[in-house]
Every structure is written in structure tokens, then in C-alpha cells.
Amino acid sequence: MQGSQVGYKSGMVSLIGRPNAGKSTLLNKLIGEKIAIVSDKPQTTRTRITGVLTRPDGQIVFLDTPGIHKPGYALNRRMMAVVTDALSSVDLVLLIVDSTEATGSGDRFVRDMIAKIPTRAFLLVNKIDALRDKSRLLPLIQFYSEAREFAEVIPVSAKTGEGAGLLIDKIVEHLPEGQALFPNDALTDQPERVIAAELVREKILHVTGQELPYVTAVVTERWQEEPEVTRIECVIYVERPSQRPIILGHGGARIKQIGIEARADIERLLGRHVFLKLFVKVREHWRDDERALDELGIHG
Ligand SMILES: Nc1nc2c(ncn2[C@@H]2O[C@H](COP(=O)(O)OP(=O)(O)OP(=O)(O)O)[C@@H](O)[C@H]2O)c(=O)[nH]1
Ligand SMILES: [Mg+2]
């Protein structure tokens, strides 16, 4: 059996960084499947997302995490609890930074956080495909290296995959010997109904611009396998009645677009036909309501 021979490596590796650094894009690239949603809005990822990469010589269990930010609502405190947990309970931390952004107070906050943890870490300088002025790399690396030592510094592009092969080799090199933690064919421990709800949320982020990125949550309420089709019903929660029409759009055009885009992705994920029905409901102040967060599946 793979994973039990001498010299086999295995371990947990967390992806940590500021919102929008490209953590989820990188996870998907490394795993070779879309299991984490991605958007150009900060705070896209809200929970810990596990991605498993199995090779003949080792197994890497990646933990994608929410972007590091100062928490305001109970939602954000839970998101940051996920980050704190993923900093301490792993074999290796990958700190991902956006090479196209100037460093500021958010980066200093991240740098201080990373400085305090004893876990071995790599610094990944991401988005090098979009970096015109390569002379910016060195000061960026120096900025982060002031805080702590990094076992490796690797420029990558989560978008194109540049640097990904080298990164995986280096990760396996640094992991401890051990047996596989997941079956060889596992990609994630997220249930399909959770990924489906997340894909709906991704499309909301995609079609709604800056109006609503933070106030929606999506839950799969019904999942029924039939011979020809899987019937799925998702509920989109917003915080106030005034936000409902923004999701619906003029004459329902926007929710229709969300449904078309999400269904295409869910069909790709499941490899079968999907009938997707979306509902919009108001749940006032869900972001600051611990019970609502439990019910929405957002755990800290
Ligand atoms: N050009 C370029 N864009 C990238 C790259 N990696 C990520 N992006 C873009 O950056 C944006 C943020 O990507 P995400 O993967 O959602 O970032 P994240 O770090 O997971 O963000 P949060 O979940 O909000 O913390 C998206 O628009 C991505 O398409 C890259 O290597 N090159
Ligand atoms: Mg993310």
C-alpha cells in the first residue's frame, strides 16, 4: 500500500496570508481541481479548506485559510480563529504574499503574527506573472525576512502554475516521515453539498460588484440524486431586506445569472446533470449571531 513504505513523507501544510494574496488559487493549482472558491474581493475564504496531494513519495495535506485581517464581527473572529489554529497545528506554514501590492500596515500585522510562531515556514512570493518590475522582489523578501527565518523563498504564480513543481518538491523534502493521512484518491474532506454552496457564493461575489461581498452566506438545503439529474436547492442569506433585490436583480436577471454560472461549475464537479434552485432569505445580523454562524456551517 502506498503510504506505508520506508521514507514515505506526510504532513499538514497551511496556506496563510493577507486577503486576496492568492491562497485559494494556489491550493486549486497544487491539487489540480477547483475545491476552493476564488474571487477578486477580499475575505472570500471563510472556513478551513483541506486539499490533499498524493505522490508516490509522500502525501501533503494543505489547509487553505481565510485571509488575515482585523476581526470586526463574530464571523471575522471565527475566520481568524481558523488562521491561528492553522499556524500552530501544522508541520509547515506557507506564507503567501502578493508581489504586485505595496507593503503596508496589513503586511506588518501578518509579519508580526508569523514572527511569533515556531513552526517552519516558506515565503511564497505570488503573482509573478503580473509583476512587471522584478526589482520589487528583493525588498519584499527582505521586509518579511526581517521578522523570522524562512526555510525556502520561492517566487510562484498561482495563476499559471509557475514555481508549483519546485514548491511541491521542497515541501515533501521538509515534511517528516510518516504514513498517509488520507486515502490515495482523496482530494478534500469537504462534502459536495458544501462545495456546491460555496460555488453559489463565488458566483454572487462575481456578479454583484462591491455592493454585497461580505453579507451573503449560502447553505445547501436539499440534495436529491435521481437517475438523470441531481436536484439541489440552495438558500442565499442576506442581512437586510434591502439586500434581497440586489441579489435578485432587475426582473430576476441577476439570480438567474448566478444560477447558470453555479450550475455549470457544480455539473463539472459532480460529472452529471444538475437542477439548481436558488432562494434568497433574510437573516438579520447573521454575521454577529453565533447561533446563525453555527447553522450556516461557519465554524471557528
Ligand atoms: N495575476 C495573478 N492573479 C492571481 C494569482 N493568484 C491569485 N490571483 C488573483 O487574486 C485574486 C484573489 O485570489 P484568491 O485565491 O481568492 O485569494 P485568497 O488569498 O484566497 O483570498 P481570501 O480567501 O480572500 O483570503 C483573484 O482575483 C485571483 O484570480 C496569480 O498568481 N497571478
Ligand atoms: Mg481564499
Side-chain angles (χ1 to χ4, degrees), residues 5-284:
Q5 78 264 27
V6 176
Y8 193 84
K9 301 286 198 79
S10 77
M12 315 270 278
V13 177
S14 57
L15 292 100
I16 301 284
R18 295 192 58 196
N20 262 349
K23 301 175 290 298
S24 302
T25 308
L26 184 63
L27 177 76
N28 292 337
K29 195 54 132 187
L30 294 169
I31 298 300
E33 283 286 340
K34 180 162 171 178
I35 57 168
I37 65 165
V38 165
S39 90
D40 60 1
K41 316 280 188 307
Q43 299 178 29
T44 297
T45 305
R46 287 179 177 160
T47 53
R48 191 184 81 174
I49 297 172
T50 306
V52 185
L53 178 69
T54 305
R55 302 207 310 187
D57 56 345
Q59 184 180 70
I60 310 170
V61 179
F62 291 104
L63 306 179
D64 183 19
T65 64
I68 295 172
H69 64 288
K70 294 213 170 95
Y73 298 90
L75 164 69
N76 307 84
R77 287 196 293 278
R78 287 191 181 202
M79 288 162 69
M80 285 303 290
V82 172
V83 177
T84 314
D85 194 45
L87 278 172
S88 56
S89 59
V90 295
D91 300 287
L92 179 68
V93 167
L94 306 180
L95 174 63
I96 297 150
V97 301
D98 182 343
S99 64
T100 65
E101 290 279 329
T103 49
S105 62
D107 298 270
R108 279 190 288 276
F109 187 66
V110 169
R111 193 172 65 171
D112 292 347
M113 238 178 123
I114 287 283
K116 290 182 199 130
I117 56 138
T119 318
R120 187 178 297 177
F122 289 4
L123 177 63
L124 305 187
V125 188
N126 190 29
K127 307 197 186 182
I128 51 165
D129 62 285
L131 182 69
R132 291 213 184 80
D133 182 6
K134 302 280 186 230
S135 69
R136 286 176 62 170
L137 283 177
L138 200 58
L140 185 64
I141 293 166
Q142 275 166 349
F143 173 88
Y144 278 98
S145 302
E146 272 170 25
R148 62 162 293 154
E149 200 178 308
F150 291 98
E152 304 282 348
V153 177
I154 307 175
V156 294
S157 167
K159 192 176 176 184
T160 66
E162 195 179 339
L166 175 70
L167 170 61
I168 292 167
D169 288 344
K170 290 291 179 191
I171 292 171
V172 173
E173 222 173 83
H174 284 272
L175 285 185
E177 285 190 16
Q179 298 203 346
L181 304 163
F182 281 82
N184 291 346
D185 58 354
L187 282 179
T188 182
D189 61 355
Q190 285 193 108
E192 282 171 342
R193 53 191 296 146
V194 172
I195 304 180
E198 282 284 273
L199 288 167
V200 172
R201 194 162 64 82
E202 181 184 70
K203 305 316 169 192
I204 298 169
L205 293 172
H206 184 215
V207 304
T208 53
Q210 294 303 328
E211 312 110 293
L212 286 177
Y214 308 109
V215 303
T216 61
V218 183
V219 175
T220 302
E221 301 247 308
R222 183 164 170 254
W223 186 287
Q224 194 174 327
E225 307 273 355
E226 290 176 12
E228 300 295 322
V229 70
T230 302
R231 288 181 190 278
I232 302 170
E233 291 180 10
C234 292
V235 176
I236 300 168
Y237 288 96
V238 291
E239 279 199 321
R240 287 197 300 273
S242 62
Q243 292 158 346
R244 239 179 134 253
I246 304 177
I247 297 280
L248 294 173
H250 191 65
R254 201 175 244 168
I255 195 158
K256 191 173 170 201
Q257 187 59 30
I258 293 166
I260 289 169
E261 290 185 20
R263 191 186 56 150
D265 274 19
I266 298 169
E267 286 190 334
R268 207 170 302 131
L269 173 79
L270 302 180
R272 63 197 315 259
H273 287 303
V274 165
F275 183 81
L276 177 65
K277 223 168 161 181
L278 300 177
F279 302 88
V280 186
K281 290 186 186 170
V282 179
R283 177 131 191 190
E284 303 223 347

